[in-house]
Every structure is written in structure tokens, then in C-alpha cells.
Amino acid sequence: MPRSMTTFSRVEVSEGELALVMELKSINSRYCDLVIRAPRWASPLEDRIRKLIQGRLQRGRIELNIQASGRTNGLTSPGIASFEPDTALARTYIEAALRLKQELGLEGVVDLPLLLKALPGIIIIKDKEEDPENMWQLMGPALERLLDEAEDMALGEGSALQKDMTTRIEYIEAQLNEISKRASTHLVEAQRAMSERIKAILKDVPVDESKLAQELAVLADRLDITEELVRAESHIGQFKKLLSENGPIGRRLDFLLQELFREINTMAVKSADSTISHICVEIKGALEKIREQVQNIV
């Protein structure tokens, strides 16, 4: 069954002092374009997260957002920054300032606001280090749940797309049958019209039946669209078969649609018949609708 690239899922989990909110959304894309937004402490796990997602969702513009917070009991979340003073740097600065005051006879005092303004690096930001394996014990199962929900939604969307595309491809199949019927009738009409024109031009001159037969054969070959009809039917058969398969099928479906467009265009040109041309226009409209749906298939 086809699977849509359009999906969304959200999971909330908590354990001890940590609470996680994970959201995943995906839209259609030619490739697997994954963007991960997570706290800095999750950086060591990013490669593992990326592989897990790409193994489950093969295509799409995928965005994963992970937000972490502490519990309401006032405990802090893992990885939260702590602020530490660089006392050695501050001491060196104060000593230098006092020497300048004494040697140059300057007035004033070195206070804390002045010190912080003069030395922005005097307060050091330190990230709390966490064990990635401990964090994965909570994050891993949550991510699996998130992907399960995303896949369920993608399959639901895919089922709706499958029904729509099946209806449209069956309509195209019926229209090709009409073209096949009209092609036989059109060939007889075109040959009769050519024969009458030749006889009208020659008037009383006897017609060389062998040469006339050759001209009619050339006309029949030029108007014949049997090969295009056979190939189009083959493409439709493959398309319907792919719709029942699992796994990534979007690119193969898109290729078959391109080939169908090619065959339909050739039929319209070769047949030189207004009825067939009109049917071809209708078919191309239906193909374009299917192609829009295929763009969302993995």
C-alpha cells in the first residue's frame, strides 16, 4: 500500500526529573531531507536519531523537534547550563586596576557592575554533562512511538491517495479503450476519403489500383497507434500493480506517468483525428491529477 510523505505525530514522556515533548512532521520532497532541533545535550545522540528516522521514513522533508524541561517539583532538566565565576581572571583584573590607581594616583573604586561590564568572560557558562546511554533509555522508545504514529498517519493518507489514483487510472484505461475503437473506424474513414480524393483528382483517368493500395498502406502505417496503445496499457498495468505493493514506490509511479504522457502525446499527433485528440486531452488532465498525488507518495 502507498505511504504518504505528509504526516505528523507528537509524543510526551517523562521520567524522574526529565520531561520530553517530541514532534515530527513531514511534507513531500524528492529526497530524505531531515532537520533535527534538540537540546545541546542530545548532540551525542543525533546520529542514532537520524539513522532511526531515515530507516523508517525513506523520503520527505522531515522535521523533528525535541523539547526538554524539568518536572514541576522544581528540579532542573538535564543539560541545563550552570554559571561559574572565573575568580582567577577577576583577581588578576582587580590587582591590575589597583596598581594603575596607586601608580597614577587615580580616584575611584572597582565595583562588581564595572567588573562584569569590563570582563564579559568573567562568568563562565558550563553545560551539565549527561550520560548519552542513560538519556537514550528514555528517548529511544519515545522516538519509536513517535515514528509508529507517523507511519500510521502516513498509511492512512496513502490509502486515500490509492483510492483516488485507482479511480483515475481506471478512467484513463476506459478512455484508451475508446481511442482503440475510434482508431479502427478513423483508419477506414481516412482511407476511404483518400481514395475518393484521388479518384476525383484523376476524374476520367483510370486509377492504378496497385499504386492506390500502396498509398492507402502508407496512410494506414502513418495513422496506426497500435504500438502506443499497447505500451500505454502495459504502463497502466504496472501502475496498478505498484499501487498494491509496500515500500517506496513514488519514483517508479512518477516514471510510469511520464511514459504514459509520452504515449498519449504521440497518439494525438499520429492519429490526426479530432475525436482522439479530444480524448487525449481528457486523459492528460487525469494524468496530471494523478501526478499531483504521486508527488506525496514515498
Side-chain angles (χ1 to χ4, degrees):
M1 176 184 293
R3 192 173 69 215
S4 173
M5 281 184 274
T6 303
T7 188
F8 176 85
S9 59
R10 188 175 191 271
V11 167
E12 296 184 28
V13 293
S14 61
E15 182 178 288
E17 66 181 36
L18 174 63
L20 288 179
V21 177
M22 307 175 72
E23 286 188 356
L24 184 146
K25 62 180 179 180
S26 174
I27 57 176
N28 62 310
S29 175
R30 292 185 62 187
Y31 308 104
C32 186
D33 185 10
L34 176 58
V35 177
I36 300 174
R37 299 183 181 92
R40 282 184 295 179
W41 54 260
S43 296
L45 300 173
E46 184 170 324
D47 186 58
R48 197 180 305 187
I49 294 171
R50 188 174 296 276
K51 288 180 179 178
L52 182 58
I53 294 175
Q54 290 175 337
R56 298 279 294 273
L57 307 177
Q58 288 87 359
R59 285 180 65 199
R61 163 74 180 183
I62 306 164
E63 294 183 10
L64 173 67
N65 289 285
I66 302 175
Q67 294 181 338
S69 62
R71 303 295 299 278
T72 56
N73 59 12
L75 294 175
T76 56
S77 63
I80 192 167
S82 62
F83 299 89
E84 300 288 340
D86 189 339
T87 53
L89 178 63
R91 184 178 294 109
T92 302
Y93 174 81
I94 293 174
E95 290 173 354
L98 291 174
R99 283 177 58 191
L100 282 174
K101 180 180 178 182
Q102 293 172 358
E103 293 178 9
L104 300 178
L106 300 175
E107 298 294 330
V109 296
V110 179
D111 59 6
L112 182 59
L114 179 61
L115 184 63
L116 293 176
K117 184 177 181 181
L119 294 177
I122 202 169
I123 301 297
I124 303 170
I125 301 175
K126 291 186 176 180
D127 288 336
K128 182 181 176 183
E129 295 184 0
E130 297 293 334
D131 184 354
E133 291 303 321
N134 289 339
M135 299 308 303
W136 186 251
Q137 295 302 314
L138 178 63
M139 186 181 292
L143 186 56
E144 292 281 6
R145 277 180 50 200
L146 190 75
L147 290 170
D148 288 341
E149 292 184 11
E151 284 192 316
D152 287 343
M153 180 176 177
L155 286 171
E157 292 285 332
S159 177
L161 293 176
Q162 181 187 42
K163 291 178 182 178
D164 181 77
M165 290 188 290
T166 298
T167 299
R168 295 182 188 278
I169 205 70
E170 288 176 350
Y171 165 78
I172 292 173
E173 197 169 23
Q175 293 299 98
L176 286 175
N177 288 333
E178 293 301 316
I179 289 179
S180 180
K181 295 176 185 177
R182 175 58 189 168
S184 300
T185 303
H186 173 56
L187 176 59
V188 173
E189 292 175 354
Q191 288 178 322
R192 181 169 59 246
M194 173 178 276
S195 179
E196 290 174 354
R197 283 199 302 273
I198 290 175
K199 290 178 180 179
I201 293 172
L202 295 177
K203 293 183 179 180
D204 298 329
V205 179
V207 176
D208 187 332
E209 294 297 334
S210 63
K211 289 186 177 180
L212 177 60
Q214 289 178 0
E215 291 299 324
L216 295 178
V218 170
L219 176 64
D221 182 66
R222 189 168 68 247
L223 299 180
D224 184 34
I225 57 174
T226 302
E227 290 184 9
E228 288 74 19
L229 284 167
V230 170
R231 284 195 292 267
E233 288 290 346
S234 174
H235 296 330
I236 287 176
Q238 293 180 63
F239 191 95
K240 292 166 74 174
K241 181 181 178 182
L242 277 176
L243 284 180
S244 63
E245 292 185 5
N246 296 321
I249 59 173
R251 287 174 178 166
R252 287 182 287 172
L253 290 175
D254 190 56
F255 171 76
L256 289 172
L257 289 178
Q258 292 179 33
E259 293 303 304
L260 271 170
F261 266 109
R262 195 192 318 277
E263 302 301 342
I264 297 304
N265 281 330
T266 304
M267 288 182 205
V269 173
K270 285 182 66 176
S271 64
D273 177 63
S274 59
T275 300
I276 292 178
S277 294
H278 176 74
I279 296 175
C280 287
V281 169
E282 295 296 319
I283 290 177
K284 285 192 284 187
L287 285 173
E288 189 59 40
K289 293 293 184 182
I290 296 175
R291 191 169 183 274
E292 291 174 3
Q293 303 289 41
V294 166
Q295 302 309 306
N296 289 314
I297 297 297
V298 176

